[in-house]
Amino acid sequence: MANNKILVIDDERLINKFLASRLEREAWDVDTAIDGIEAMNKITRNKYDLILTDLIMPNVAGLELVIYIKNSKLNADVPIIVISSLTSDNVILDVLSIGVEEYISKPFSMNVVIAKIKQILGKKSVA
Amino acid sequence: MFHPFHWQQYPVIIMIALVVSFLALAMIFVTLGIIYFHRIKTEDTNEEEAASELIIIEELNKHILRYDSLNEVPEKELLNVINKLTRLKQKSLVFTKVLTRTLMSFSILLTGTIQLVINATYNLLKLQEDTFKKLKSKLWFVKIEGLREVQEINDNDSISQVITLTKDNNINVRVSAYAALIQLDSKEKYKFLDDEQETLTLWHQIILTNAMEKIDSNELPDFKRYLGSTNNSIVLLCMKLILHYNQLNAVSSLIKLLSHKDDEIRCFVIQALGKLNADEAEQQLIERYPKESLGNKTQILLSLGNIISLISLKFLTDKFIRGEHFDILKSAAEAINTFPQELKKLVPIDSTLLDEKQITLIKHYEEPLNLYGSI
């Protein structure tokens, strides 16, 4: 499972750094972006194995970003996990309908996030 | 040629005007000076806060929060980081404020075992002592700040002090204490629903509801227990919670409240019974109709629209055809429109009995876009 490259996108520095440090502990390569534009730049240049993103961010909204990822050259088939404080059914259904693999609501448990990532990356490597 | 200034040659009124103008000018400059000083100070504080936040996030993530429990953290590493943060905390009040705020944010955003790590870090950094001081403050807003810290950090050691603050003279402090207790592991979580005598404002109700949202809904009590309270704001809050948590076993208690002497309470009961689709309340709602105010009558019609039955439909159709008041007409038309077509066919409305206004209303509720401009 080592050397998988994960992009963490969250404008909340607290969560961004926390996720990065916990994922690095699992021996994954972690890259971070603090807003939608920085994320778009990184998605255009680099290939990732998984993307973790928030929905409410400055500059580019999370949903637009997900669509951007799905239309990108390098990362169109990359699994996406959304971690957001939005808990309305409509939002979750919208996000899942555009191809997001998992939706995790804030507050979240890091152990659950890690388990989901392992599950998704495991499926991907089998495929 | 320069002429020397002589006070004596001017009338007194001019002299007074000059002094007043000078004082006004001086005050303007002093005010501008204060504003400038305040802005510089705020900017400095903001910069210090941002710098402190960076250090705190870095240290906590690198040495503490990357582990699932404090036992996993190497002893020396833990000691070093706690000593470093304690030193910085002792040097600056801003650092202490940011440290507390950051731990609270982590606590709000994360669940699971990490909560215990945050809690233990909070205690190791002796932030609990600062919170205790806030709880003992004489200023109400400082007490509330302390209560919020206790609530967000889930600091169960402070329960006895929080319980003391539930008897504070200030209602805002009491409500914050109730909210904190709801999230803590206390047996007296909902005692306030029996005890509170003062009116809870909508804002207070939001604070309490938010606290309840953060706990497991299985821990919530049967709110029907408190519907007999003499405090109307508690009754209203409990009805909102009954609706929010869909406590259907409260229907019979709600029906009893239909004879409550307060108009606002009755209105909310009628609304709640409709939203809970309480068909057992249908007969009581119909019987209640002639005794109620116009506002409550319209609410009864809307609630009957939620209790889909032939009796309700007949009643609504009758009220719609009689058309005593525009509000009655409107609510009856809205309620009738919620019935399925098959039922509506059983109680057809004779269009020859309707005037133009009634026909327009029916059209409107069948096609909402017709509302504006048609009426």
Side-chain angles (χ1 to χ4, degrees):
Chain A
M1 204 89 68
N3 294 329
N4 277 311
K5 201 169 178 187
I6 299 175
L7 175 64
V8 174
I9 313 160
D10 201 313
D11 62 317
E12 230 165 326
R13 206 192 307 270
L14 199 85
I15 288 299
N16 200 311
K17 297 238 174 192
F18 169 73
L19 282 169
S21 88
R22 287 300 301 257
L23 299 181
E24 274 163 4
R25 196 184 159 211
E26 300 293 322
W28 286 313
D29 285 342
V30 182
D31 201 357
T32 58
I34 209 81
D35 64 31
I37 291 182
E38 193 187 348
M40 281 176 166
N41 289 334
K42 292 195 170 180
I43 288 157
T44 315
R45 283 200 307 266
N46 309 313
K47 166 88 182 137
Y48 296 98
D49 295 297
L50 189 134
I51 295 173
L52 270 175
T53 182
D54 187 12
L55 281 186
I56 307 170
M57 286 183 294
N59 301 325
V60 180
L63 269 177
E64 280 177 62
L65 183 67
V66 172
I67 293 166
Y68 181 85
I69 297 167
K70 291 288 166 197
N71 292 325
S72 69
K73 273 187 188 166
L74 288 174
N75 295 289
D77 56 349
V78 171
I80 301 169
I81 297 180
V82 166
I83 302 183
S84 172
S85 50
L86 300 175
T87 50
S88 130
D89 284 357
N90 290 343
V91 175
I92 299 175
L93 291 175
D94 278 353
V95 167
L96 293 175
S97 70
I98 54 171
V100 164
E101 295 281 321
E102 277 291 347
Y103 191 99
I104 298 172
S105 302
K106 285 180 187 169
F108 63 93
S109 157
M110 197 57 216
N111 292 333
V112 172
V113 174
I114 290 173
K116 300 254 184 207
I117 294 177
K118 282 182 178 168
Q119 189 188 18
I120 291 170
L121 290 178
K123 264 191 219 165
K124 209 182 151 196
S125 64
V126 169
Chain B
M1 225 4 230
F2 177 73
H3 296 285
F5 181 79
H6 296 291
W7 278 100
Q8 296 83 353
Q9 70 189 57
Y10 294 99
V12 178
I13 189 79
I14 297 292
M15 288 200 250
I16 293 171
L18 268 173
V19 172
V20 171
S21 306
F22 176 76
L23 284 176
L25 210 63
M27 281 179 73
I28 289 171
F29 280 114
V30 169
T31 313
L32 286 173
I34 292 171
I35 292 171
Y36 180 72
F37 175 75
H38 191 73
R39 280 194 185 173
I40 298 277
K41 208 180 150 206
T42 312
E43 214 164 286
D44 283 351
T45 313
N46 288 347
E47 277 174 21
E48 196 183 339
E49 280 190 11
S52 304
E53 196 180 73
L54 269 182
I55 297 172
I56 294 163
I57 293 176
E58 192 70 31
E59 292 296 322
L60 290 177
N61 278 328
K62 206 166 156 189
H63 303 289
I64 297 180
L65 297 179
R66 62 198 305 251
Y67 298 98
D68 279 330
S69 90
L70 272 194
N71 298 334
E72 285 180 38
V73 188
E75 204 176 329
K76 204 176 165 192
E77 190 181 353
L78 181 67
L79 204 67
N80 281 343
V81 70
I82 294 294
N83 283 343
K84 184 178 176 184
L85 291 173
T86 308
R87 253 196 329 273
L88 290 166
K89 182 183 148 239
Q90 282 161 351
K91 272 189 199 164
S92 150
L93 274 176
V94 173
F95 192 87
T96 312
K97 195 176 119 189
V98 179
L99 188 55
T100 311
R101 198 176 62 198
T102 310
L103 282 170
M104 275 167 69
S105 303
F106 271 124
S107 183
I108 293 167
L109 290 164
L110 303 169
T111 57
T113 50
I114 202 83
Q115 275 280 353
L116 298 174
V117 178
I118 294 165
N119 223 310
T121 312
Y122 181 79
N123 290 340
L124 282 173
L125 288 166
K126 300 205 165 87
L127 290 167
Q128 202 182 34
E129 289 172 15
D130 297 330
T131 304
F132 280 168
K133 278 183 205 155
K134 287 179 190 167
L135 295 180
K136 283 180 181 162
S137 166
K138 286 188 177 160
L139 302 169
W140 67 271
F141 50 90
V142 178
K143 285 183 199 168
I144 289 178
E145 202 181 312
L147 283 166
R148 208 173 119 67
E149 285 168 20
V150 171
Q151 183 182 351
E152 298 305 352
I153 296 286
N154 276 322
D155 180 14
N156 282 309
D157 296 340
S158 311
I159 287 181
S160 60
Q161 274 174 296
V162 176
I163 289 177
T164 312
L165 288 176
T166 58
K167 294 168 187 89
D168 196 273
N169 289 329
N170 186 308
I171 177 83
N172 297 312
V173 174
R174 288 204 302 277
V175 169
S176 296
Y178 303 150
L181 271 191
I182 289 170
Q183 275 185 253
L184 297 175
D185 198 10
S186 161
K187 284 177 188 162
E188 298 194 15
K189 278 176 196 245
Y190 301 103
K191 200 166 170 284
F192 74 95
L193 292 170
D194 282 321
D195 297 347
E196 182 57 56
Q197 295 300 316
E198 212 171 311
T199 301
L200 299 177
T201 62
L202 280 179
W203 183 243
H204 293 146
Q205 293 179 28
I206 289 170
I207 292 173
L208 294 165
T209 314
N210 269 348
M212 289 180 206
E213 286 270 289
K214 289 178 187 164
I215 62 168
D216 185 353
S217 56
N218 292 327
E219 286 179 32
L220 292 169
D222 261 348
F223 290 108
K224 68 175 182 186
R225 247 200 71 205
Y226 307 99
L227 290 178
S229 170
T230 50
N231 183 339
N232 284 355
S233 62
I234 296 277
V235 179
L236 284 170
L237 172 66
C238 288
M239 281 198 277
K240 286 174 198 168
L241 291 165
I242 285 169
L243 272 184
H244 184 72
Y245 292 102
N246 210 20
Q247 293 188 344
L248 293 168
N249 61 354
V251 168
S252 54
S253 306
L254 285 170
I255 290 173
K256 282 180 199 155
L257 273 187
L258 277 172
S259 52
H260 198 281
K261 60 179 187 292
D262 187 272
D263 196 68
E264 190 190 356
I265 299 257
R266 285 201 312 280
C267 183
F268 205 93
V269 174
I270 295 164
Q271 200 181 344
L273 287 168
K275 286 188 179 167
L276 291 171
N277 304 110
D279 44 9
E280 57 266 56
E282 184 181 53
Q283 198 51 44
Q284 282 90 337
L285 285 173
I286 290 171
E287 280 168 15
R288 196 72 222 169
Y289 185 85
K291 300 173 201 161
E292 286 295 345
S293 61
L294 178 66
N296 287 5
K297 276 182 180 168
T298 59
Q299 197 52 63
I300 288 178
L301 298 177
L302 292 173
S303 290
L304 288 175
N306 288 342
I307 304 166
I308 311 279
S309 84
L310 207 57
I311 299 171
S312 288
L313 184 58
K314 278 180 186 164
F315 184 79
L316 288 166
T317 309
D318 177 55
K319 295 300 158 202
F320 182 71
I321 290 170
R322 284 171 191 239
E324 293 158 356
H325 190 281
F326 182 71
D327 289 350
I328 302 280
L329 268 179
K330 197 156 75 81
S331 302
E334 187 179 345
I336 290 168
N337 197 49
T338 58
F339 281 75
Q341 283 302 330
E342 304 81 66
L343 261 181
K344 277 201 252 182
K345 276 179 199 161
L346 297 176
V347 190
I349 300 174
D350 183 358
S351 57
T352 56
L353 295 173
L354 303 180
D355 60 19
E356 199 188 337
K357 196 161 56 180
Q358 287 165 315
I359 293 168
T360 312
L361 270 171
I362 289 184
K363 267 190 193 168
H364 159 64
Y365 282 109
E366 281 168 358
E367 172 54 80
L369 291 176
N370 281 346
L371 176 62
Y372 302 102
S374 308
I375 298 172

